[in-house]
Amino acid sequence: MKIDTIEIYPYKKYDKPRLKKIDISNICHSSEILEFIQEQYVKLYKTDSPQELITETLKKIASILKCEDAFLAINEDENRFNYYSMVMSIGGMSMTSSSESSENNVVIPKHTFTISSDNLLSRPLAKKRGVISNDMSKDPRKSNKIPNVHPILKNYLGFPIFKDNTCLGLMGFANSEKGFSTKDYKNLITVSYFFRNFIELLNYGSEGISISQELKAKQQLVSLKDSFIASMSHEMRTPLNGMIGMARLLHDSQPLTVKQLEYIRVLMECGVQLVELVNDILDFSKITSGNLKLNNYPFNLESTINSAIDIVKQRAEDKGLELKVEIQKGIPEYLNGDSRRIKQIVINLLCNAIKFTDNTEDKKGKIILRVNYSNIIEDSFKRKIIITVEDNGIGIKKEDQTKIFSVFTKVGVNKNTSQGAGLGLAISRELSKLMDGDITLESELDVGSIFKLEIILEDESILNKQAENTDFLGKKIIIVDDSEDNRIYLLNIFIKWGLNVTIFSTAKECLNYLDNTKNDKFDLAILDIYMPGMNGIDLAQALRERGYSQPLIGLSSIGESIQGREWFDEFETKPISKSHLFNIMLKQLLNPSKVSIKGKTKKGKNIRIILAEDDYYNQILFKEMLESLGYFNLKIVNNGKECVDLISKEYFDLCFIDIKMPIMNGIEAVKIIKKMPRYPPVIAVSASVLETDKSLYYSSGMDGYIPKPIDKDKLEQILKSFS
Ligand code: ADP
């Protein structure tokens, strides 16, 4: 069914809602939305967490529309709707405490969403049209009987999702800065198509939504295709290189006629083009399947840039183009990163600039490569590197400017030429994203283009200088990791920092060494979590049981469950950046006595617990649960600020902290707590079950996580491991 009518209030000078017909063939003018939804389609065929994908999509679209709240309600069964995901802001819509009314929450009962035209939220379903209300408080469409409009909801845009005559769901956005417009509605059509396809590929059960068999099968096909492409392109390179090599030999085997030489030259050129294409396809398939891992080694940016210039300068010279390089003075001498991939991006941008620039009668073709940097306020070890490639060539039309970053896209006059496959920019942009950056473009037809690459890299020199100035020299570090690459990576860093390193590839080797040598003193150990045989958690426990109280750092490749964390002083997710590693080492090596004592001593049920929670009922509930488990030593505070204040004054063994609190939230508080000279392990208490949120908790310094509503068994498990 085509939803091509919207009901708007207020609309121009009218004080009654007006119907407006929209042309839905002319959809989505927002390249940001288009590009984003394209990415989401790729993820759709990989995800095993539909809930996460829905939330991520809503959050991003809400940020593009500059509104605070968003939701997707799915019609599960005969017009019974379930909200599966809501983006919430303080004071906005909330589904977290579905059946409770609290001051800031609009109460939308979880499973009883009925279609009613009096209810502004569900009106789009009842009327089968879009609904925009830019003044919810005065909107005449709402019923007086149904208090469905909370004063905090300023405005609302509801988009029904139908397939033929079947209603699949409802997508809603609320509390926009400027209010919603017809244009916003049109831009959302692409998003509604995405959700329509998505909803059809889900299963609904009592546990919630999950991936259907159909989607699973599709996902398997996609992953099979990815690995097929990856292995095929890999296999193709060997014979291709053989052919080029042979052609080269043939070229050198005189005597040959001029014609024969020309044939061989073309043969070699085609061969090289084919190898480049295969490399590009391999890169792209690796990126899309998430298998491309970047290196993180020190390199000199200036020489990387110069070697990129060396490769392309002949091409510029052949076309009589001017090629200039300007590198900002004082650029860090050594940065950490993947120099090969940075060079690949720069070469791609330069080759394009050369390809699409010519000398004309009235202007000389000119290409300027500029390299600049700036410091990043939040992180003194990191630098933003800005590389721009400017040309005065053919330029790119406005409407083509986002297209060129998509795969196999060529635009303008070169559309049909055989040069390039249109993969270069797509790969470059993906690579830049892997480096926490992006590539942007400013261009004008017939005037020229400026491609700007911005990436974030660590300044190796600053790190080493810091390490020199600290008292690391001679400290003994143990590394236990089954991956040789990881061992070497850490070893190289630590040696530079003047540390004395002993490495083991299994937990057993490490324990044998410590059990059999008298000289068993070490200052800190870094343990990989996933190892064959005895894993890192069991090793940490074994070390603690042998009486080692030195700092232990756990390194894992995915967000971990809480179990076993208590044996460690720090728990980190790989890949760990050097600057972060440095900060941890600094803290753990130089202030070991100050850190928390989790897992090192056992205190039983007498431990002192602090709970930071703003909701009174949740406070009572928590207290009762604790007491029923035999833990009576509890202090309760109402927000993060009070929690920080109390921990700075009093000793606690364990802290439970709610994430969403007024004045200071849990994330802000834990960051401060972890900088204190002494602090307890901190457990996040939150209703969000998203992996992304969980990893945010851990990266902010939380030692554990317990979901709301609190499960008594889980709580007991946590208490036991920390007491
Ligand atoms: P290709 O391998 O075809 O060069 P890219 O992804 O690198 O693929 O570029 C895609 C398209 O973007 C090019 O075919 C061209 O149409 C356009 N383009 C890229 N760089 C420039 C430039 N500097 N000036 C004009 N057009 C450009």
Side-chain angles (χ1 to χ4, degrees), residues 280 348-357 389-391 393-396 400 403-415 417 419-428 441 443 448-451:
D280 279 356
N348 180 241
L349 297 180
L350 286 171
C351 283
N352 278 348
I354 295 168
K355 211 190 295 179
F356 300 113
T357 306
V389 175
E390 180 176 344
D391 66 59
I394 60 170
I396 302 161
D400 290 336
K403 282 191 216 153
I404 57 163
F405 289 101
S406 307
V407 266
F408 301 119
T409 314
K410 300 194 251 180
V411 296
V413 285
N414 77 317
K415 238 184 194 162
T417 64
Q419 295 173 302
L423 271 171
L425 283 175
I427 293 172
S428 294
L441 165 68
S443 184
S449 311
I450 306 174
F451 283 87

Side-chain angles (χ1 to χ4, degrees), residues 595-714:
V595 300
S596 77
I597 50 152
K598 51 198 155 174
K600 292 179 190 171
T601 53
K602 299 270 166 187
K603 288 198 168 181
K605 293 192 171 176
N606 248 341
I607 54 164
R608 294 170 60 92
I609 302 169
I610 176 169
L611 166 73
E613 163 70 65
D614 59 319
D615 186 290
Y616 176 68
Y617 295 105
N618 285 341
Q619 291 179 354
I620 303 280
L621 200 71
F622 194 88
K623 186 167 186 285
E624 276 172 9
M625 255 195 207
L626 274 189
E627 289 180 356
S628 70
L629 291 167
Y631 293 79
F632 291 93
N633 210 343
L634 171 73
K635 281 216 170 151
I636 298 175
V637 289
N638 297 307
N639 58 55
K641 171 89 180 43
E642 287 179 13
C643 183
V644 168
D645 289 347
L646 199 57
I647 290 179
S648 71
K649 287 187 216 129
E650 273 181 43
Y651 174 84
F652 290 96
D653 294 294
L654 188 57
C655 169
F656 287 91
I657 197 160
D658 186 27
I659 296 296
K660 286 202 168 195
M661 285 184 293
I663 305 179
M664 184 187 280
N665 67 31
I667 302 281
E668 288 166 309
V670 73
K671 285 185 184 160
I672 302 176
I673 293 171
K674 289 287 168 128
K675 286 193 186 120
M676 292 180 174
R678 174 183 276 284
Y679 54 80
V682 185
I683 310 294
V685 185
S686 161
S688 167
V689 290
L690 298 180
E691 281 308 322
T692 45
D693 286 338
K694 274 193 230 168
S695 43
L696 170 72
Y697 304 156
Y698 289 130
S699 64
S700 318
M702 299 286 182
D703 299 283
Y705 159 80
I706 182 159
K708 263 184 183 176
I710 291 173
D711 175 75
K712 203 165 155 186
D713 289 345
K714 261 202 186 115

Side-chain angles (χ1 to χ4, degrees), residues 171-380:
M171 169 170 76
F173 296 87
N175 289 341
S176 138
E177 263 170 31
K178 289 190 294 199
F180 295 102
S181 64
T182 320
K183 199 169 134 214
D184 290 332
Y185 191 86
K186 276 207 228 169
N187 283 341
L188 284 173
I189 295 177
T190 314
V191 185
S192 79
Y193 289 160
F194 171 72
F195 279 135
R196 190 178 73 186
N197 293 334
F198 195 7
I199 292 171
E200 283 192 300
L201 289 169
L202 297 176
N203 266 351
Y204 310 97
S206 52
E207 303 271 291
I209 40 176
S210 58
I211 302 286
S212 64
Q213 280 306 325
E214 189 191 347
L215 181 54
K216 249 184 218 150
K218 282 188 183 170
Q219 289 184 338
Q220 271 163 7
L221 258 174
V222 169
S223 101
L224 203 70
K225 188 200 75 192
D226 280 346
S227 57
F228 172 75
I229 293 177
S231 61
M232 268 315 285
S233 27
H234 197 75
E235 293 301 320
M236 276 162 77
R237 277 198 301 198
T238 318
L240 268 173
N241 283 328
M243 281 160 64
I244 297 167
M246 283 299 142
R248 221 167 254 146
L249 286 179
L250 193 60
H251 181 270
D252 296 342
S253 60
Q254 306 291 350
L256 290 169
T257 65
V258 176
K259 243 194 178 145
Q260 282 169 328
L261 275 171
E262 177 62 12
Y263 294 155
I264 297 170
R265 192 190 62 76
V266 174
L267 188 68
M268 289 196 316
E269 222 175 82
C270 292
V272 169
Q273 254 183 42
L274 203 53
V275 171
E276 278 172 9
L277 178 63
V278 169
N279 282 343
D280 279 356
I281 293 175
L282 181 62
D283 274 354
F284 199 75
S285 75
K286 271 193 196 159
I287 292 172
T288 51
S289 58
N291 288 329
L292 191 104
K293 299 271 177 287
L294 294 182
N295 281 333
N296 193 24
Y297 292 115
F299 72 98
N300 180 287
L301 181 63
E302 205 164 330
S303 37
T304 302
I305 297 290
N306 286 335
S307 75
I309 293 283
D310 279 347
I311 290 175
V312 302
K313 77 176 171 217
Q314 190 59 45
R315 296 186 204 185
E317 239 171 76
D318 291 348
K319 286 184 80 177
L321 304 172
E322 189 183 335
L323 177 58
K324 254 177 89 179
V325 186
E326 294 171 6
I327 299 180
Q328 186 183 348
K329 278 219 172 80
I331 205 135
E333 195 179 350
Y334 284 101
L335 293 157
N336 279 307
D338 196 326
S339 61
R340 191 172 73 91
R341 294 297 183 179
I342 294 171
K343 186 167 148 189
Q344 179 181 350
I345 303 174
V346 174
I347 290 176
N348 180 241
L349 297 180
L350 286 171
C351 283
N352 278 348
I354 295 168
K355 211 190 295 179
F356 300 113
T357 306
D358 288 301
N359 287 318
T360 58
E361 271 171 23
D362 43 316
K363 74 175 175 203
K364 182 166 169 66
K366 191 169 162 184
I367 291 146
I368 310 170
L369 170 74
R370 294 190 179 86
V371 185
N372 292 291
Y373 78 101
S374 63
N375 294 339
I376 291 173
I377 301 159
E378 309 86 64
D379 191 333
S380 60

